[in-house]
Amino acid sequence: MASENKILYIKGSRDVEVTKPDVTLGDLLSMESTDKLMLAKVRTLKIVRFKKSGRQRCVVSLLKIIACIHGEFPQVDIQNLGETDIIVTYEDQKTPAFAWHIIKTVFVAAVTFFGAAFSIMAFNNDVDVTKLFGQIYELMTGQETNGYTVLEIAYSVGVTAGILIFFNHFGKKRFTVDPTPMEIQMRLYENDIQTTLIENSERRGEEIDVGTTDTSGSNRN
């Protein structure tokens, strides 16, 4: 057989988004093999079909993918270099209105700005920074403060600089090549969501696994 003694390397991400209802292995995996003809055929093998419109999600086990490949090429040796469970999210390719993007951006920016400002003001009021600076200024200079001294200016500049340095980000500019703390937290949050989705799918028996005859993702949201 053409696939005899052939090795197929596959690598899949943990979360894949598709825009067409008929999902093939080529949509989910990166693959490599010396048998290019077999490789082209494997990429076209269908693994999931979403029957409904709108956003849907299902979990596909690697064993189901291997069984699908072995159904056409039983002698091929499959080497997995990626995930063992793949979350497949299907969503219609619809571009929201530009005005809606503007509204969401303005809303998020406003909430972030006023929320951060309130937090800083609440902290300053809680520890009574104004009184503290006044006492320090009077101790160092022997004069009463008028509320606008080098201490307040340095404090304001320091808070701004500290935020920029901590978040390692200003507009589109990064100060270092390291990911920002926000990016790290977002990745951790995404990992937690993906782990929960996979575990819930397994517990409910909704995972598309080896031996599963229903490969429809319609009822797996």
Side-chain angles (χ1 to χ4, degrees), residues 70-128:
H70 279 163
E72 296 293 329
F73 304 95
Q75 301 300 322
V76 68
D77 182 12
I78 302 174
Q79 300 289 331
N80 178 44
L81 306 178
E83 299 290 337
T84 57
D85 294 286
I86 300 176
I87 302 170
V88 185
T89 303
Y90 167 67
E91 188 169 8
D92 295 333
Q93 193 69 14
K94 295 180 180 179
T95 304
F98 180 73
W100 178 239
H101 281 297
I102 297 297
I103 293 173
K104 290 194 295 184
T105 301
V106 171
F107 175 76
V108 172
V111 170
T112 303
F113 175 79
F114 289 108
F118 179 79
S119 298
I120 294 175
M121 289 188 294
F123 169 77
N124 291 338
N125 184 67
D126 185 50
V127 300
D128 203 353

Side-chain angles (χ1 to χ4, degrees), residues 8-43:
L8 175 64
Y9 297 95
I10 62 175
K11 182 179 180 181
S13 300
R14 201 177 191 189
D15 194 359
V16 179
E17 185 171 318
V18 296
T19 57
K20 58 182 182 179
D22 292 318
V23 183
T24 64
L25 294 183
D27 298 324
L28 305 182
L29 306 170
S30 298
M31 293 177 276
E32 176 57 30
S33 175
T34 55
D35 190 335
K36 301 304 179 183
L37 180 60
M38 178 195 69
L39 192 62
K41 292 181 179 179
V42 170
R43 286 197 175 105

